[in-house]
Amino acid sequence: MNVTLRVVRLRLAEPLRISRSVMTERNAVWITVEHHGLRGHGEAVTSVYYGLDTDTLRRLLAGAGDGLGRFADPESALAAVRDGELPAPGTPPAVTAAVESALLDLVGKRAGQPVHQLLGTVDRPAAATARTIGIVSAERARTQARCLADSGFGVLKVKAGTADPEDDLARVRAVRGAAPAAALLLDPNGAWSPDQARQLLPRFAELGVEAVEQPTAPGDPEALARLAERSPLPVIADEDAVSLVDVQRLAGRVQGVNVKLAKCGGVHAALRIEELIAGSGTRLMLGCLTAGTLGIAPAVHLADRARWVDLDGHLLLAHDPWTGIGGTDGTVRAGTGAGLGVRPVPPRGTDRFPSSVAQPGVQPAAPKDAQPAALPVVQKERHHREDVE
């Protein structure tokens, strides 16, 4: 199996502010695994929160790619990822998820099946996705909510956690007024103390908020569980629910856990979490980081398994380098075709991809499986940029 990497910059359509940071762009590293003329693709994005800059991702993905060399075919390599034998112990979950994505895509193409069928789901998953409204003025939030509702979004997620909670309340009130039929989720990204959360959650419940993600600072899951016992809103753990061990600690004690493939380690890790919480009273939420369609697509193949779906990271970009899962009408759908069912978008100003990409050791793509066109390689990571949770 031949492995190649490519670095691209993903710019947001507009800055996105959350309680701890503002983000305007981030880098993505694509991993492509080729075997007998077919290619599978995966994506990992940089994250200050998880300590992953461009060089780190590139180095770790290259190491994981070297590890694929001992396998005769992608099916055996995918089994090793599923069983925790690949990549090497201690590899960050985001890297594991990207490698698994490329192998799932490739194995699906070799079998002529979409990923969801490889995972045991016959019908093509589709789900209403939340659309994030960042920390903006109430008037701006009202305008955004109205436009999103008119476009078909029935679930809106409002960021919170400013220094003045009244600003957050005004934002949610504006969104509720502009989109009265929408389900509202609230996400302070851990900005509140337990006391603040106890005081504020009843007020947000009165505005019709359906659930709240990680209201208190991560690092004290017991405090989060105690809050969930008496909260008027379902509490969904996010930053406090990273690994399977974290979820074991909170299963049955919070109303939901936000599973992000880049956080837990990929599709098979998410399925283990789903199995763990089954029957506990804790429901599954599928979330994401801001990423392209390629990075979001594996989770969409699980979308029918979740109570809440928040897979809008690709919708925040000024230009998504991939297409195939939709979402602009408020619904994400697993891509059609084998594997992930996504395809690269030609660079703006062109109508096709070049027949080959000038990189040492990289063979031109087979016509039936287009290779992404070359995009600028970013040499330096802007460390002041933060990821969106």
Side-chain angles (χ1 to χ4, degrees):
M1 286 181 284
N2 186 41
V3 176
T4 57
L5 303 178
R6 192 177 301 272
V7 181
V8 300
R9 178 175 293 159
L10 303 177
R11 292 185 174 89
L12 275 67
E14 62 180 81
L16 183 60
R17 180 185 174 197
I18 64 173
S19 61
R20 60 174 177 254
S21 60
V22 178
M23 185 174 69
T24 60
E25 61 185 35
R26 75 184 334 152
N27 291 347
V29 182
W30 296 341
I31 178 170
T32 297
V33 181
E34 186 270 339
H35 186 69
H36 291 173
L38 289 176
R39 290 178 170 88
H41 308 285
E43 177 181 274
V45 294
T46 55
S47 168
V48 174
Y49 188 81
Y50 293 115
L52 298 173
D53 61 20
T54 306
D55 290 340
T56 299
L57 279 178
R58 190 158 38 190
R59 173 176 55 80
L60 292 171
L61 284 167
D66 290 341
L68 293 176
R70 71 177 192 266
F71 295 94
D73 53 56
E75 289 79 10
S76 58
L78 181 59
V81 172
R82 182 194 62 215
D83 297 339
E85 300 169 6
L86 185 78
T91 298
V95 173
T96 302
V99 172
E100 181 197 52
S101 171
L103 291 170
L104 281 168
D105 192 27
L106 181 53
V107 169
K109 289 171 180 175
R110 280 164 56 84
Q113 291 183 297
V115 165
H116 62 84
Q117 290 185 5
L118 295 179
L119 302 174
T121 299
V122 175
D123 295 330
R124 178 186 176 203
T129 180
R131 180 66 158 79
T132 300
I133 295 176
I135 294 177
V136 295
S137 69
E139 186 58 39
R140 177 64 177 154
R142 180 179 295 108
T143 299
Q144 290 181 340
R146 185 179 298 115
C147 290
L148 291 169
D150 289 345
S151 297
F153 285 89
V155 186
L156 300 176
K157 183 166 87 168
V158 185
K159 292 290 186 177
T162 60
D164 184 358
E166 295 301 324
D167 289 342
D168 295 333
L169 287 158
R171 187 178 315 106
V172 172
R173 195 175 294 114
V175 170
R176 169 51 72 214
L184 298 186
L185 305 176
L186 185 71
D187 187 7
N189 286 107
W192 299 332
S193 69
D195 285 342
Q196 286 177 309
R198 280 189 287 270
Q199 294 170 17
L200 290 171
L201 289 181
R203 300 182 67 185
F204 285 105
E206 291 174 357
L207 295 176
V209 171
E210 178 180 298
V212 59
E213 286 184 60
Q214 195 68 42
T216 56
D220 190 352
E222 292 300 317
L224 186 69
R226 288 194 297 270
L227 177 68
E229 288 180 3
R230 299 177 178 274
S231 171
L233 297 175
V235 171
I236 303 168
D238 184 357
E239 288 90 340
D240 270 329
V242 176
S243 66
L244 188 66
V245 172
D246 295 333
V247 176
Q248 284 176 325
R249 185 181 298 119
L250 289 169
R253 306 180 67 197
V254 295
Q255 286 77 33
V257 290
N258 188 345
V259 172
K260 300 170 182 171
L261 303 191
K263 181 176 70 170
C264 72
V267 165
H268 288 99
L271 292 175
R272 285 190 286 272
I273 290 174
E274 180 197 24
E275 182 179 4
L276 171 67
I277 64 176
S280 71
T282 297
R283 305 290 297 278
L284 181 69
M285 178 178 189
L286 277 175
C288 64
L289 302 183
T290 302
T293 282
L294 176 59
I296 306 297
V300 179
H301 285 271
L302 302 176
D304 58 325
R305 302 167 183 261
R307 165 62 180 84
W308 301 277
V309 173
D310 180 25
L311 298 176
D312 69 337
H314 62 302
L315 302 176
L316 306 180
L317 301 180
H319 174 66
D320 186 350
W322 295 78
T323 187
I325 61 175
T328 56
D329 61 352
T331 299
V332 289
R333 302 168 181 85
T336 58
L340 292 176
V342 300
R343 60 190 182 278
V345 175
R348 284 168 289 187
T350 70
D351 59 0
R352 64 183 180 88
F353 288 93
S355 59
S356 64
V357 179
Q359 272 195 12
V362 179
Q363 298 298 317
K368 60 183 175 181
D369 185 20
Q371 175 80 356
L375 294 175
V377 174
V378 182
Q379 297 299 330
K380 294 182 65 179
E381 171 70 2
R382 300 187 177 189
H383 291 282
H384 64 283
R385 304 304 185 196
E386 180 59 275
D387 56 277
V388 177
E389 295 290 336

